[in-house]
Amino acid sequence: MRWVLLTLTSLFVACSSSDNDDSSIFLPGDCSYFSSGNLIPGTGTGVNDATLWAENIASPFVRTRAIAKSQIYNPGGSGSANGDECAANNFNYPHRDTFCETRSANRDSYNCPKRTIHQGIDINAGTHETCLLLRNAKRAIGNGAAPEVANIIPIVATANGRISYIGSYTVDLKPDDPANSKFRYLHMNMRTLPIELGDFVKKGQLIGYYYDDFGGNNTTFHLHLELIAFINGRAQYVSPYASFIAAEQRTNHIPCLELG
Amino acid sequence: MENTLTIILKQVGQWFRCITAALLLSVVSACAATQAVGGDSQSIRIADNSSQVAVTKRHINWERADADRFHGKNTTVLPKPLGSASSMPSQDQGELGSALAVPLLLPSTTIQTNSPAAAELEFSEPVILLSANGYTAVLKNDSIDIVIDATDSMMVTADHREDDTPEDFDGEFQLIEGGGGGITIGRYGALYYIQLMCNHPSVETCVTETMVRDVIESLSIAELPADARQ
């Protein structure tokens, strides 16, 4: 049965993308993902939570290749021997969960087995080439160019809602639907945000650009995405991974293969 | 005739490519799946509980909130909230809550803390964003912001007991990704997530549990101006 499903899915992917327009950056058939909770071995204990804590959301990236990946344990991260955040492999499928990935600080969540954890997922967007463009733009900004030169990859609202907080490296989006958790976006280009505190936004509306802001410090270029929900009387950090994978497939019309 | 033959051959060629691609992909994905299952990744399986999670409304004790305000528990009158809420609550909310889904609790703009990290914190006047099920209040400071998310709604799982979430409670302190900390509290039946957000994340300990509890200690019931209570 599994073979039949795999073959049918592959056939659909291989054939349905034949009339994609030329501007598509998605390669037919290459989208795949590891299951929720399947972290890089040795980087923590994940939780296999397939719950769509935020249903029917849009991907924060539209028509841009976006891969959930570990920001720490892949090239450019502090846990990797390879220091090049623009390494091509950082932009290749499969998606991999990082919710519950090990951190030193004592942070809680709804269902991670431990408390010293990563409270969201990290997403790399674009390609090796766009990463190099961003790196050059960052250098140019350091030399006095306007911060807008780094506005290469747009990030959009995942749902209709309201911008409820803008910090030094954080933007909160509170959805209209109380069943949807609050979204927290970290590390956008904070000096060029097209939104203000209190703005009402529509699902898919531009709210910022992919960057590496971290309150005056640097991190790697990535989007850190969180979901915070009131569950059983407490504000809890829940896994955005399954919701993100579903949104990626829905928003960008790319069926993805689950690898287990 | 020759053209028709060419078209047929092209069609067959396309289907051949599709089928070959599909078979190759199936083999690759099957191998990858086998490898993943046999790998040493750790994860704990939980049931897909999407069908068991429901959104419920909390009962808000407006009588008690109005009484607390009447007895002068540091009531303040605020500037008009920023923008307008997309929809206003319709339930009977008592005198205090005519434009609010939950009692409007706000901290003092000057927080005296027992924390060695900061003895006194000065914040901006709050910006209040109303919504159909609560509000968000934001108070700014150069190094730390206060964000309060308040709601009358929550998700409940099948194993949740009503006793687990009383009208009033103080939850546990938890650190926040990138720097900061927060505590969920219950007051008058409503839920409030009190967060202190660090603006300079290199200072990992910019927020302590004591500071968050000092902010909670300073909370008082606030009142909206008459023109915001329609």
Side-chain angles (χ1 to χ4, degrees), chain A residues 102-199:
Chain A
T102 299
R103 293 291 185 274
S104 55
N106 187 15
R107 305 188 193 112
D108 206 3
S109 69
Y110 174 59
N111 54 13
C112 289
K114 295 179 179 172
R115 286 178 67 99
T116 48
I117 51 103
H118 188 222
Q119 289 174 314
I121 58 168
D122 291 330
I123 303 167
N124 291 343
T127 60
H128 167 69
E129 288 75 20
T130 54
C131 183
L132 294 178
L133 287 174
L134 271 170
R135 189 187 275 171
N136 289 337
K138 190 175 174 63
R139 262 190 220 121
I141 292 167
N143 291 326
E148 284 78 9
V149 300
N151 289 352
I152 295 168
I153 299 175
I155 291 177
V156 303
T158 48
N160 294 341
R162 199 169 190 191
I163 302 301
S164 63
Y165 173 62
I166 298 177
S168 62
Y169 54 95
T170 301
V171 172
D172 284 359
L173 168 61
K174 210 171 192 179
D176 292 339
D177 184 351
N180 269 347
S181 318
K182 178 169 87 167
F183 299 94
R184 181 163 277 168
Y185 297 71
L186 269 63
H187 313 310
M188 291 195 285
N189 190 354
M190 300 300 286
R191 287 194 288 168
T192 69
L193 292 179
I195 38 97
E196 292 181 356
L197 180 64
D199 280 357

Side-chain angles (χ1 to χ4, degrees), chain B residues 58-59 62 78 122 129 140 166 185 202-203 205 210 215 219:
Chain B
R58 304 269 300 155
H59 170 72
W62 285 103
L78 295 160
E122 288 283 343
L129 310 169
K140 305 284 286 184
I185 62 168
S202 58
V203 187
T205 55
T210 306
V215 169
L219 291 172

Side-chain angles (χ1 to χ4, degrees), chain B residues 25-49:
Chain B
L25 207 57
S26 301
V27 170
V28 169
S29 54
C31 291
T34 309
Q35 204 170 27
V37 168
D40 60 345
S41 77
Q42 297 178 49
S43 75
I44 290 176
R45 177 82 193 170
I46 68 160
D48 176 0
N49 59 352

